[in-house]
Amino acid sequence: MDVLYTAEALSTGGGRDGRVTTADGRLDLSMAVPKEMGGSGDGANPELLFAAGYAACFHSALQSVARARKAKLEGSSVGSRVQILPDGSGGFRLGVHLEVVLPEVEPQLAQELADAAHEVCPYSNATRGNIEVTVAVSDD
């Protein structure tokens, strides 16, 4: 299979309390453990990056399926909430909630578009069967 794109990142200085940079220089972030988990909260964290990436990727997938169906998505947005949860064995797991806002789209079509986007989004495909992902659709 042909590779369409490769992203490269490097974590240094301690992971959650270090720095993350990308090979192309577009990202260069201080990382910090969230206050809720006992850290300073003075930097980004992996869950913030995952939430941002999932929201943007899902929104692109949504726009792609809408174009294929000749639907317009004026004022659309996708919010992503990523949570760290205990897994019951002393470890942790992730949970994701996506909120798709389609103010100009009839509710049934909005749900169909969100469901179709969930089938083609690379983040959804990567997480399917591994973590719980819920998708909610609203018009505001």
Side-chain angles (χ1 to χ4, degrees):
M1 190 167 19
D2 293 331
V3 174
L4 299 176
Y5 173 72
T6 300
E8 294 182 41
L10 178 66
S11 172
T12 57
R16 287 184 175 273
D17 273 322
R19 181 158 218 84
V20 66
T21 57
T22 57
D24 62 8
R26 292 183 186 267
L27 287 178
D28 184 348
L29 301 171
S30 295
M31 304 295 283
V33 175
K35 286 183 181 180
E36 298 85 349
M37 294 176 63
S40 70
D42 291 336
N45 62 64
E47 293 71 36
L48 286 173
L49 298 173
F50 189 73
Y54 206 154
C57 190
F58 197 92
H59 201 183
S60 289
L62 184 67
Q63 291 172 333
S64 177
V65 298
R67 271 192 307 276
R69 295 183 185 201
K70 305 219 185 318
K72 295 196 185 266
L73 299 185
E74 300 296 324
S76 67
S77 64
V78 174
S80 174
R81 185 180 328 125
V82 174
Q83 299 172 315
I84 296 180
L85 308 161
D87 72 358
S89 66
F92 303 94
R93 63 185 176 86
L94 293 177
V96 175
H97 177 75
L98 300 171
E99 183 174 355
V100 177
V101 178
L102 299 172
E104 304 287 326
V105 180
E106 176 264 314
Q108 182 177 339
L109 177 58
Q111 188 64 57
E112 289 172 10
L113 293 172
D115 291 344
H118 196 38
E119 291 301 313
V120 299
C121 173
Y123 273 63
S124 293
N125 287 331
T127 60
R128 188 169 288 112
N130 297 309
I131 66 175
E132 183 179 338
V133 177
T134 59
V135 180
V137 177
S138 69
D139 59 3
D140 60 322

